[in-house]
Amino acid sequence: MNSHTDTTTASEQATFWNEDGGRRWAAHSDATDARLAPLSDHLLARIGARPGERLLDIGCGTGATSAALAAAVAPGGRVTALDVSRVILDVAIQRYTGTPNLEFLLADAGTHAFTPAGFDVLASRLGVMFFHDPPAAFTNLRRALAPGGRLCFLCWRRLDENPWMGLAARAAFTVLPKPPRPAPGTPGPFAFADSERVADILARAGFVEVDFEAVDRPVDLGTLEQAMGWLTSMGPAAGPLREAGDADRAQAEAAMRDALGAAMTDGRVILAGAAWVVTAQWPLAG
Ligand SMILES: C[S@@+](CC[C@H](N)C(=O)[O-])C[C@H]1O[C@@H](n2cnc3c(N)ncnc32)[C@H](O)[C@@H]1O
């Protein structure tokens, strides 16, 4: 997804998503939505949004999930699509302006002063792993949930369970120096891989009935060129590639091409993806 796993403060995260990281994410939004469709369909089914519900999409990105959820809560319901990144949210607004029950909110989900109990559902596709202080952020979000409300989000399991992202990066690091492994839980795409840690975060925030469903779906990265375009722009190798000299970069990209080329099926790079769908409740008596 991105190459910023060494950033740790809330303002660094906001800066990352509002600058280059956000621009790179937004530039790939159509392709990302297509690649994530099998995981997304499963997430949407597990969220189970119903007409009339008030739903918050956390870290909504360029809005595909928010728009699908807005359709699911109609008639009578509404979706607030929240993101910390202006550059990303602008794309969402451009894509889905005119969806009557979908509103956009530029804010940090971890600290925004939500109306207490203003939502029936908190949902997210890959938007909750970037909080600087996850227990505080989820406590803040939980206060926005009405008693009896629910939380449902998708997050990645470990990088080594996700060859769609890890395979090419490993190849690149046969040439480029491998950056130090981030400390477990460092904000980033794989920060929520450890289900025990996430269960603890959610329990500390007051959620109950926390459940983890392991969901395995192929990620179709497209042709070799499309896969290279994505994996040289985002993911663990992207930053080191940008910083490398021309010769090293060319050699690393050749190694990535070889690894991906060897894994192709019918002209496409299709590799395993491994995620959690995490669900939790805020009790009626809470
Ligand atoms: C990996 S992207 C996922 C985007 C979208 N949910 C999707 O699936 O296409 C992560 C998103 O979370 C947003 N984000 C990161 N930290 C955030 C925060 N503290 N509050 C709100 N949004 C945040 C980023 O700006 C980015 O759009």
Side-chain angles (χ1 to χ4, degrees):
M1 328 294 320
N2 51 62
S3 57
H4 70 307
T5 45
D6 56 341
T7 62
T8 51
T9 70
S11 67
E12 281 171 331
Q13 284 292 319
T15 302
F16 172 85
W17 288 107
N18 272 287
E19 296 186 349
D20 253 19
R23 276 190 282 276
R24 284 196 299 275
W25 179 265
H28 288 271
S29 48
D30 289 333
T32 303
D33 290 336
R35 283 165 188 154
L36 294 178
L39 282 164
S40 233
D41 291 347
H42 187 77
L43 172 69
L44 291 169
R46 289 299 311 275
I47 293 169
R50 294 185 290 270
E53 287 188 318
R54 301 160 300 165
L55 191 146
L56 177 68
D57 184 5
I58 306 158
C60 66
T62 53
T65 312
S66 322
L69 290 166
V73 299
R78 65 171 169 77
V79 170
T80 302
L82 173 149
D83 205 282
V84 76
S85 166
R86 172 90 270 166
V87 289
I88 293 180
L89 203 63
D90 278 349
V91 177
I93 291 167
Q94 218 173 6
R95 280 173 123 190
Y96 298 111
T97 242
T99 305
N101 63 339
L102 176 56
E103 66 187 9
F104 298 94
L105 176 61
L106 178 67
D108 185 327
T111 54
H112 181 69
F114 294 103
T115 303
F119 294 101
D120 306 302
V121 188
L122 305 176
S124 183
R125 183 181 81 173
L126 306 174
V128 294
M129 305 90 86
F130 307 96
F131 297 132
H132 165 60
D133 183 346
F138 276 98
T139 301
N140 187 50
L141 285 162
R142 197 261 299 143
R143 290 191 190 111
L145 198 55
R150 64 194 189 279
L151 167 73
C152 182
F153 65 80
L154 183 79
C155 60
W156 295 115
R157 303 205 315 266
R158 291 193 319 268
L159 178 60
D160 63 13
E161 296 175 271
N162 280 286
W164 69 272
M165 177 161 275
L167 180 77
R170 249 199 331 274
F173 295 133
T174 61
V175 178
L176 304 177
K178 193 174 174 183
R181 185 188 282 267
T186 301
F190 301 98
F192 276 15
D194 177 350
S195 57
E196 279 182 25
R197 173 173 176 267
V198 177
D200 179 59
I201 290 167
L202 296 179
R204 285 166 66 188
F207 289 98
V208 298
E209 295 177 43
V210 179
D211 181 68
F212 292 79
E213 180 195 8
V215 184
D216 296 282
R217 293 285 185 280
V219 178
D220 182 347
L221 295 166
T223 64
L224 185 55
E225 282 321 303
Q226 289 166 335
M228 283 296 293
W230 161 274
L231 293 164
T232 54
S233 165
M234 281 176 282
L241 280 169
R242 278 192 295 278
E243 282 154 25
D246 289 348
D248 282 352
R249 187 182 318 112
Q251 212 188 326
E253 289 188 0
M256 293 171 77
R257 250 173 225 287
D258 285 349
L260 293 172
M264 287 180 77
T265 314
D266 297 333
R268 300 185 75 80
V269 180
I270 303 174
L271 292 165
W276 296 117
V277 168
V278 182
T279 50
Q281 312 288 324
W282 173 230
L284 263 176

